[in-house]
């Protein structure tokens, strides 16, 4: 352990007690011999500004999770261009009292897809199921990486339409189309034209949640990634039907590894982080 002054880091959310990030980040500090400590701090929505003010003098960096990824933005001094387009910040770096925000969610999914499927975003077509905060971050990242087409399926069509319009404005070369989840015919067409489907609704977090779309609409040759860590109905279907698939733990790992590198300037010890993350996950879900 080096003798430098201890640096403090955190993840904020509401609630946040379930977060697996402390186990993963503290393992990284230990593996690199850094004097750092990472904790989970529950911050109510009305306290986000007060938290940011205090963080200027008390934290070297922090992560932001649901529901504060957008709400934190007005309290930062600078936000990376793509993150400001996404309206989503999950990583803040404290630069001598000045708070700089960025997002590592897109990188996290990109790295997880490479690892699980050897998938490259460039020139491929993808369907996102859901259109909440995480899809905004992911879709802009995919567009910046040269994705060919983005299809959005969402319960509330207007949300997907707004994102489609924003993507077309910033990335005119990327084709974008959207439809309501309930439109099974169009959903099937989107899947047929995609090499990857990414499940991004919150359905599947609770035990008896139904799938957001009829699982049988997934073609056998599609790659399926579920951003949720648990076995959702869609993930169960994909596994049972030999559709190449992965859950959201890889995305969590790689977004966290990127945050660690941004804070410390060091290469993240990914394998030590993965081991700690999986141990914490299985402990929490025994
Ligand atoms: N693996 C990772 O590292 C990682 C990172 C971030 C997020 N995630 C996961 O991504 C998921 C979404 O996160 P988010 O931040 O985007 O959440 P969010 O902003 O709250 O969006 C929720 C999404 O789920 C849809 N939805 C909710 N209830 C539904 C229902 N009953 N039927 C159909 N659709 C429904 C919403 O549709 P409407 O627009 O119609 O309301 C919206 O598209 C979460 O489950 C989270 O676990 C994973």
């Amino acid at each position: 352990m080096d003798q430098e002054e201890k640096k403090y880091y955190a993840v904020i959310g509401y609630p946040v007690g379930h977060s697996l990030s402390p186990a993963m980040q503290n393992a990284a500090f230990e593996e690199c011999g850094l004097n750092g400590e990472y904790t989970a701090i529950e911050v109510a929505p009305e306290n986000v500004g007060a938290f940011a003010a205090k963080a200027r003098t008390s934290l070297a960096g922090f992560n932001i999770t649901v529901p504060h990824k957008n709400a934190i933005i007005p309290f930062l001094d600078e936000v990376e261009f793509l993150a400001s387009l996404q309206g989503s910040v999950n990583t803040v770096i404290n630069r001598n009292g000045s708070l700089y925000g960025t997002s590592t969610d897109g990188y996290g999914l990109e790295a997880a897809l490479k690892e699980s499927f050897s998938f490259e975003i460039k020139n491929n077509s993808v369907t996102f199921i859901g259109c909440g905060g995480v899809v905004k971050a992911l879709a802009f990242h995919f567009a910046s990486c040269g994705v060919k087409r983005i299809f959005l399926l969402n319960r509330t069509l207007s949300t997907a339409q707004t994102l489609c319009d924003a993507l077309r404005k910033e990335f005119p070369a990327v084709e974008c189309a959207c439809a309501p989840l309930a439109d099974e015919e169009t959903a099937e067409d989107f899947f047929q034209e995609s090499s990857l489907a990414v499940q991004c609704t919150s359905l599947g977090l609770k035990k008896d949640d139904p799938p957001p779309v009829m699982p049988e609409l997934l073609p056998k040759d599609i790659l399926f990634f579920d951003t949720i860590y648990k076995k959702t109905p869609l993930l169960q279907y994909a596994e049972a039907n030999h559709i190449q698939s992965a859950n959201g733990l890889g995305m969590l790992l790689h977004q966290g590894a990127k945050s660690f590198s941004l804070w410390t300037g060091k290469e993240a010890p990914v394998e030590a982080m993965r081991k700690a993350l999986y141990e914490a996950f299985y402990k929490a879900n025994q």
Side-chain angles (χ1 to χ4, degrees):
M1 188 70 71
D2 72 17
Q3 295 307 304
E4 277 180 24
E5 200 183 326
K6 192 168 192 173
K7 289 187 175 158
Y8 293 90
Y9 302 84
V11 55
I12 63 162
Y14 190 73
V16 77
H18 62 282
S19 175
L20 301 169
S21 293
M24 174 170 74
Q25 296 292 354
N26 285 323
F29 290 125
E30 195 179 329
E31 181 72 15
C32 294
L34 293 172
N35 196 5
E37 185 179 333
Y38 184 107
T39 51
I41 303 176
E42 186 161 289
V43 176
E46 63 274 20
N47 294 332
V48 171
F51 168 83
K54 198 169 163 211
R56 282 174 200 282
T57 53
S58 58
L59 295 178
F62 56 96
N63 284 131
I64 303 97
T65 188
V66 180
H68 301 322
K69 287 185 186 182
N70 179 264
I72 191 72
I73 292 176
F75 305 107
L76 304 177
D77 300 291
E78 199 185 336
V79 175
E80 187 255 336
F81 178 66
L82 202 56
S84 69
L85 285 180
Q86 297 165 353
S88 178
V89 163
N90 82 333
T91 304
V92 170
I93 305 147
N94 188 342
R95 296 174 170 168
N96 300 316
S98 177
L99 299 181
Y100 175 82
T102 186
S103 176
T104 66
D105 279 333
Y107 168 84
L109 178 59
E110 181 187 355
L113 293 171
K114 268 192 195 140
E115 197 170 77
S116 297
F117 310 133
S118 301
F119 179 84
E120 295 292 338
I121 294 172
K122 197 171 167 58
N123 293 331
N124 264 307
S125 299
V126 57
T127 297
F128 290 105
I129 307 167
C131 197
V134 76
V135 174
K136 288 194 187 93
L138 298 176
F140 274 104
H141 181 81
F142 274 50
S144 75
C145 292
V147 75
K148 187 176 171 202
R149 285 177 298 187
I150 292 177
F151 301 114
L152 302 170
L153 291 169
N154 199 40
R155 177 179 59 178
T156 310
L157 183 61
S158 59
T159 315
Q161 190 61 61
T162 303
L163 180 55
C164 252
D165 294 345
L167 285 165
R168 285 192 193 116
K169 181 165 173 269
E170 298 297 334
F171 297 94
V174 177
E175 292 170 45
C176 192
C178 61
L181 279 172
D183 180 350
E184 291 186 347
E185 203 175 315
T186 309
E188 187 165 28
D189 288 346
F190 285 178
F191 290 139
Q192 290 289 350
E193 290 185 41
S194 299
S195 36
L196 170 74
V198 187
Q199 197 299 110
C200 301
T201 74
S202 43
L203 282 178
L205 286 173
K206 287 190 245 118
K207 194 167 163 281
D208 296 321
D209 277 347
V213 287
M214 199 169 68
E216 290 75 15
L217 296 179
L218 290 174
K220 296 281 179 280
D221 60 349
I222 202 162
L223 304 171
F224 177 72
F225 190 93
D226 205 313
T227 58
I228 292 181
Y229 320 136
K230 297 177 183 173
K231 285 219 173 170
T232 65
L234 277 185
L235 188 56
Q236 283 177 37
Y237 173 86
E239 286 180 358
N241 288 275
H242 311 292
I243 293 172
Q244 275 195 75
S245 55
N247 71 20
L249 279 175
M251 178 178 164
L252 181 69
L253 168 69
H254 289 290
Q255 62 78 32
K258 183 80 172 178
S259 297
F260 178 89
S261 296
L262 290 170
W263 292 325
T264 63
K266 293 189 186 301
E267 196 176 324
V270 173
E271 292 317 315
M273 296 176 83
R274 190 194 311 271
K275 183 167 178 288
L277 175 65
Y278 277 69
E279 279 172 6
F281 176 74
Y282 288 116
K283 201 170 154 199
N285 289 281
Q286 264 172 14

